[in-house]
Amino acid sequence: MSDKQIDEFSGVSTTGHEWDGIKELDNPMPRWWLIVYYATIVWAVAYMIAYPAWPLLRTATTGLLGYSSRSEIKTELDAAKASKADYIAAIASKSVTEILADEKLRTFAAAAGAAAFKVNCVQCHGSGAQGSPGYPNLNDDDWLWGGTPQQIQQTITHGIRYAEDPNTRLSEMPAFGDILKPKEINDVANFVASLSGKAENASAADIAAGKEVFAQNCAACHGDNAKGNHEVGAPNLTDAIWFYGSTPAAIAAQVRAPRHGVMPAWGVRLGDTTVKELTVYVHSLGGGE
């Protein structure tokens, strides 16, 4: 620390502070900087008076302008809702077929259905509708109950094996463990696996025996060609799409003690309009019929 003095090089008075031989000059602030600084103070005071600023016990000062971010958001939401009202009314009054025939209405319904799907359906079908073991993939063209818009709407509205809806889709595969002998179950499992090339280790005799068991016990639902039946929700057994596994062992387990999935009835929960939007979205994924 030293006394104030005039710097010999700049001619400016020092503050009297010195560090490691470096002296601090007592230069005034630039005028433009001071003007900006004072302007910000004035602006801050004016802002506190005009807008909500000071917190109180249960609320805050409202300000002279009475501004509220909640009111602003509500206004924006009301405007957005009003802009969609015509589309929503049209969807409510039209059938799914009519909605699909109208490009603008179809685009709006698909977007709304995608939002509803993310809230209500991804928990089971996945964020990309790709499904998982026991939950169907909605992107392919394999449908237990049919993939037309009307069939999809029926499934979404009333669900599958949903006891609280009298119109739910209902079918159950018998537990053949109580009907067939163990060898018969293994034979028919090998035959079914062979339809999609998954029975490499099975003998021709076992497959032939399994074909006979299939004709006597399974063809009534799955069809003589094992292509399935939409009317009873019987799956196609000749493709590579499986709920619970495609190996002979997995198929035998399903034949012996079948698992049955349950889907809620969304009609009451979501309403007819949202169900139509979901129908359009699911049908648009690429696997609709």
Side-chain angles (χ1 to χ4, degrees):
M1 183 72 66
S2 60
D3 296 333
K4 294 184 178 181
Q5 53 185 277
I6 302 299
D7 179 62
E8 60 179 314
F9 298 102
S10 63
V12 177
S13 173
T14 66
T15 62
H17 300 159
E18 180 179 345
W19 295 271
D20 295 333
I22 300 174
K23 298 178 180 180
E24 179 184 13
L25 299 180
D26 191 12
N27 283 315
M29 293 289 183
R31 185 175 297 276
W32 68 266
W33 191 95
L34 289 173
I35 292 174
V36 171
Y37 175 68
Y38 293 132
T40 58
I41 295 176
V42 173
W43 172 263
V45 172
Y47 192 95
M48 286 190 296
I49 295 173
Y51 290 92
W54 293 98
L56 303 176
L57 290 178
R58 296 187 177 180
T59 180
T61 55
T62 58
L64 295 179
L65 298 180
Y67 171 81
S68 170
S69 58
R70 291 179 181 270
S71 298
E72 185 177 41
I73 292 174
K74 184 178 183 303
T75 301
E76 293 177 357
L77 290 175
D78 289 343
K81 185 176 181 179
S83 68
K84 298 187 297 183
D86 291 342
Y87 287 104
I88 294 174
I91 291 173
S93 64
K94 294 179 181 292
S95 68
V96 172
T97 301
E98 292 173 322
I99 295 170
L100 290 171
D102 186 319
E103 183 178 356
K104 290 184 178 180
L105 204 56
R106 182 179 69 248
T107 301
F108 178 88
F117 187 90
K118 292 176 181 177
V119 174
N120 301 282
C121 311
V122 298
Q123 295 85 349
C124 293
H125 292 284
S127 58
Q130 75 278 7
S132 60
Y135 302 97
N137 181 353
L138 303 179
N139 297 288
D140 57 31
D141 59 356
D142 194 78
W143 297 85
L144 291 180
W145 300 94
T148 66
Q150 292 73 23
Q151 289 169 327
I152 295 172
Q153 183 180 13
Q154 172 75 9
T155 300
I156 296 174
T157 300
H158 299 291
I160 299 172
R161 303 183 189 91
Y162 190 66
E164 297 179 21
D165 191 315
N167 296 314
T168 190
R169 294 194 182 279
L170 184 62
S171 70
E172 289 191 6
M173 176 177 169
F176 282 97
D178 300 328
I179 302 172
L180 301 177
K181 297 177 181 178
K183 186 179 186 309
E184 290 176 320
I185 292 176
N186 290 332
D187 287 344
V188 76
N190 282 315
F191 167 70
V192 171
S194 73
L195 297 177
S196 54
K198 301 289 185 179
E200 297 87 351
N201 298 324
S203 67
D206 289 341
I207 292 176
K211 183 176 182 180
E212 183 66 24
V213 175
F214 183 90
Q216 295 175 0
N217 299 273
C218 312
C221 292
H222 293 281
D224 294 333
N225 57 4
K227 293 289 186 180
N229 185 348
H230 289 338
E231 294 299 321
V232 295
N236 181 353
L237 303 176
T238 65
D239 56 25
I241 301 173
W242 298 84
F243 263 8
Y244 301 109
S246 59
T247 65
I251 296 172
Q254 183 67 7
V255 173
R256 190 177 300 109
R259 288 170 281 182
H260 301 106
V262 176
M263 174 178 166
W266 293 102
V268 175
R269 300 186 185 195
L270 301 180
D272 186 57
T273 300
T274 302
V275 166
K276 291 178 183 177
E277 293 169 345
L278 278 170
T279 299
V280 173
Y281 170 69
V282 171
H283 188 264
S284 74
L285 292 175
E289 296 176 346

